[in-house]
Amino acid sequence: MRVTFAGSGDAFGSGGRLQTCVHLSPADGPPVLLDCGATALIGLKRHGIEPNDVGTVVLSHLHGDHFAGLPYLILDGQFRRRTAPLEVIGPPGTQERLRQAMELLFPGSTRITRRFEVTVREIEPHGRLDLAELTVQAYPAEHFAGAPALCLRIGLAGRVIAYSGDTAWTETLVTVADGADLFVCEAYTVTRAVPFHLHLPMLRDNLPRLTCRRIVLTHAGPDVLASAGSLDLEPHLELADDDLVLDV
């Protein structure tokens, strides 16, 4: 499975990075997006990825830098004559928040007849969805977003992708990362911890407990980016940028 970081940054474009959007492309079957920040279309098209091929978007939480690209993805599909259905999976409140965002950004956009179906499935913390080609397990994150925030385990094409979403350190991450082929993990700060986000020293302290094969750090804040050249990351830790493409 090919994993493309079409957006690896924080909410504020630190370091010129785009907002969170990770594209999972199995050898067979439609691709999946992990989060869909406001800049998602830009990141996908920069990589030459066809947005209309995306079959499912899985959302960790409902902050704009993780879900506000959805109205653009949906309308881009409408204007470019998408016909394949799009599935959106997110925490409780996703359907209503998406409706509100579409009406705020593009009034009337929720009332048109689309050429393709958009289905929204909401998943509770500790919930699980088993779809034809995709398994989604949700766990509670330590992050305030006006609706439950999730850490995720994605089963796709015989691989397990773990994803922290945005969260302070929580014991849940040990379970989320257990045996995963790839753990996409937030690393927002390195010099000073802030509420509801992952502090890199805390992650390092718990590395022996994380049994995943590989960890890629995302959502780096300004102090992490400023320290990137001297972070001395362990061999199985790497810091993503918007050009990172890897095979899992």
Side-chain angles (χ1 to χ4, degrees):
M1 178 164 57
R2 177 147 291 183
V3 180
T4 301
F5 288 80
S8 64
D10 63 7
F12 311 113
S14 297
R17 295 175 179 221
L18 300 178
Q19 294 176 355
T20 304
C21 180
V22 183
H23 183 269
L24 310 178
S25 182
D28 297 309
V32 173
L33 289 188
L34 284 182
D35 280 341
C36 188
T39 57
L41 273 185
I42 299 169
L44 293 173
K45 292 182 179 183
R46 233 178 234 179
H47 279 276
I49 293 170
E50 172 52 68
N52 281 349
D53 290 341
V54 172
T56 306
V57 179
V58 185
L59 301 171
S60 64
H61 64 290
L62 301 181
H63 277 154
D65 58 317
H66 291 260
F67 104 101
L70 266 177
Y72 299 97
L73 183 71
I74 291 169
L75 290 178
D76 181 67
Q78 175 71 8
F79 289 128
R80 295 197 302 112
R81 300 183 178 277
R82 175 182 178 132
T83 58
L86 177 67
E87 186 130 41
V88 177
I89 299 171
T94 296
Q95 183 154 352
E96 178 59 17
R97 191 80 67 91
L98 176 59
R99 186 197 67 79
Q100 292 172 352
M102 293 198 70
E103 281 300 312
L104 179 64
L105 295 171
F106 301 99
S109 62
T110 63
R111 298 190 293 275
I112 63 173
T113 300
R114 299 192 188 103
R115 296 182 178 89
F116 63 98
E117 183 179 4
V118 177
T119 302
V120 178
R121 298 176 185 260
E122 297 184 353
I123 184 170
E124 298 275 355
H126 301 297
R128 175 183 172 115
L129 284 175
D130 292 295
L131 307 178
E133 299 171 338
L134 176 70
T135 299
V136 180
Q137 291 179 278
Y139 300 85
E142 295 292 329
H143 190 68
F144 179 77
L150 306 174
C151 305
L152 298 163
R153 274 176 70 92
I154 306 297
L156 181 65
R159 299 289 185 268
V160 174
I161 308 298
Y163 179 41
S164 70
D166 285 2
T167 184
W169 173 261
T170 166
E171 292 295 300
T172 297
L173 293 177
V174 178
T175 301
V176 170
D178 184 30
D181 297 286
L182 174 66
F183 182 23
V184 179
C185 186
E186 180 191 21
Y188 189 56
T189 58
V190 69
T191 56
R192 180 178 64 87
V194 300
F196 305 121
H197 285 283
L198 197 51
H199 191 44
L200 184 54
M202 181 68 77
L203 177 65
R204 278 180 166 151
D205 288 346
N206 285 278
L207 277 179
R209 305 173 62 204
L210 302 178
T211 60
C212 50
R213 292 176 54 195
R214 186 174 186 178
I215 301 175
V216 173
L217 306 177
T218 62
H219 206 279
D223 67 335
V224 172
L225 295 177
S227 306
S230 57
L231 283 179
D232 189 27
L233 296 176
E234 287 77 2
H236 65 300
L237 275 181
E238 57 193 296
L239 181 61
D241 58 32
D242 294 348
D243 295 321
L244 181 62
V245 179
L246 53 91
D247 291 318
V248 177

